[in-house]
Amino acid sequence: MTSGRDPNVLRLLFASSHPGPTVTVTVLAAVIAAAVGHPFWLVVLVALTVVAGQLSIGLANDWIDADRDRAVGRSDKPVARGLIAVGTVRTAAFVTAAVAVVLSLFLGPVAAVAHLVLVAAGWAYDAGLKRTVWSVAPFVVAFGLLPVVAVSAGPGAQWPAWWAIATGAVFGVAIHCTNVLPDLVDDAATGVRGFPHRLGLRAAGIVAFGSLVVAAALVLGGQVLGGDPVQGVGVVLAVVGAIVVLGLAVAGVRLVLAGRASRTLFRLVIASSLVLVVELGLAGARLVA
């Protein structure tokens, strides 16, 4: 077992933190914060706060699921492979959670409460909601609150546009379903029957990529409709972005209908999120209600 004194412990902890989703969520928050005109120091603070919270959620997941991951031979989990002690991951989860709480307090009251609820939702999923039909709820709550954290940070406490919150919520559905689909068999063997498990591979996949299409439509509508729509090139970019996401969703549905539950499905959602990040960045002040 790896001890806390091992020079590789930070690398192993990062690998245990679900780095892909952690980085994606942090980038989303930072881009939204920058898009609404927050000063650089506040954008950095938002990013640091969100990454601390996401690290804690990912680490808690691997700590709590250590025995289950060992049982199914998860080779991608350092804890399951015995490369790092469960206690080390558990301690890191609590430390990063504490850092997230402290940093949240500097964001202002609205953003602080939103971020603390976001992190609590992630921990609730890790602690047991993942085994129930309500497993999707923490993702809807967390991703729906992410724009609130990024937009309302700072002394002004602005509120995001309703469509930005709705986009985050439906995007959470896509993230949850596609992240779980490759593990349906392993999860069933260890008693996990969340929302996607009950739907089954094809239905859950269609729900996931259907949610992506809804998210793209919300972002497109938020940019081209309303009192301050984008103009000229902005309209073209908004439409192109929506078409790209639609194409990625179609590719995902085809894989699902073919019964191919691989990590490619999750990567398609991540790629779509990057497109939506660019669109949100282009939306700028329109993100503010």
Side-chain angles (χ1 to χ4, degrees), residues 85-111:
V86 175
T88 302
V89 178
R90 179 176 60 245
T91 298
F94 281 115
V95 169
T96 50
V99 171
V101 170
V102 172
L103 290 177
S104 295
L105 300 178
F106 293 96
L107 292 177
V110 175

Side-chain angles (χ1 to χ4, degrees), residues 25-94:
V25 172
T26 302
V27 170
L28 278 166
V31 169
I32 294 172
V36 297
H38 287 324
F40 179 74
W41 68 267
L42 187 53
V43 174
V44 172
L45 178 59
V46 167
L48 291 175
T49 305
V50 170
V51 77
Q54 293 303 303
L55 287 171
S56 76
I57 294 169
L59 290 164
N61 184 283
D62 274 22
W63 147 46
I64 293 170
D65 282 356
D67 291 338
R68 195 171 65 85
D69 289 337
R70 288 195 199 99
V72 296
R74 288 292 297 268
S75 60
D76 58 327
K77 300 291 188 75
V79 174
R81 295 174 60 192
L83 299 176
I84 189 169
V86 175
T88 302
V89 178
R90 179 176 60 245
T91 298
F94 281 115

Side-chain angles (χ1 to χ4, degrees), residues 10-191:
L10 291 179
R11 177 179 60 81
L12 292 169
L13 284 172
F14 183 66
S16 300
S17 70
H18 298 231
T22 293
V23 171
T24 299
V25 172
T26 302
V27 170
L28 278 166
V31 169
I32 294 172
V36 297
H38 287 324
F40 179 74
W41 68 267
L42 187 53
V43 174
V44 172
L45 178 59
V46 167
L48 291 175
T49 305
V50 170
V51 77
Q54 293 303 303
L55 287 171
S56 76
I57 294 169
L59 290 164
N61 184 283
D62 274 22
W63 147 46
I64 293 170
D65 282 356
D67 291 338
R68 195 171 65 85
D69 289 337
R70 288 195 199 99
V72 296
R74 288 292 297 268
S75 60
D76 58 327
K77 300 291 188 75
V79 174
R81 295 174 60 192
L83 299 176
I84 189 169
V86 175
T88 302
V89 178
R90 179 176 60 245
T91 298
F94 281 115
V95 169
T96 50
V99 171
V101 170
V102 172
L103 290 177
S104 295
L105 300 178
F106 293 96
L107 292 177
V110 175
V113 171
H115 188 248
L116 293 177
V117 173
L118 186 161
V119 174
W123 275 69
Y125 174 81
D126 293 342
L129 278 181
K130 67 164 54 179
R131 299 174 179 270
T132 75
V133 69
W134 300 105
S135 64
V136 70
F139 285 83
V140 172
V141 170
F143 280 90
L145 285 174
L146 191 64
V148 179
V149 175
V151 174
S152 65
Q158 305 173 102
W159 195 257
W162 69 267
W163 60 265
I165 298 174
T167 298
V170 295
F171 182 69
V173 176
I175 282 283
H176 176 43
C177 290
T178 54
N179 194 36
V180 166
L181 290 182
D183 302 324
L184 290 181
V185 174
D186 288 347
D187 287 344
T190 53

Side-chain angles (χ1 to χ4, degrees), residues 220 223-224 230 233-246 279:
L220 177 62
Q223 292 182 79
V224 302
V230 293
V233 176
V235 175
V236 175
L237 292 175
V239 172
V240 169
I243 292 173
V244 170
V245 173
L246 177 61
E279 291 194 45

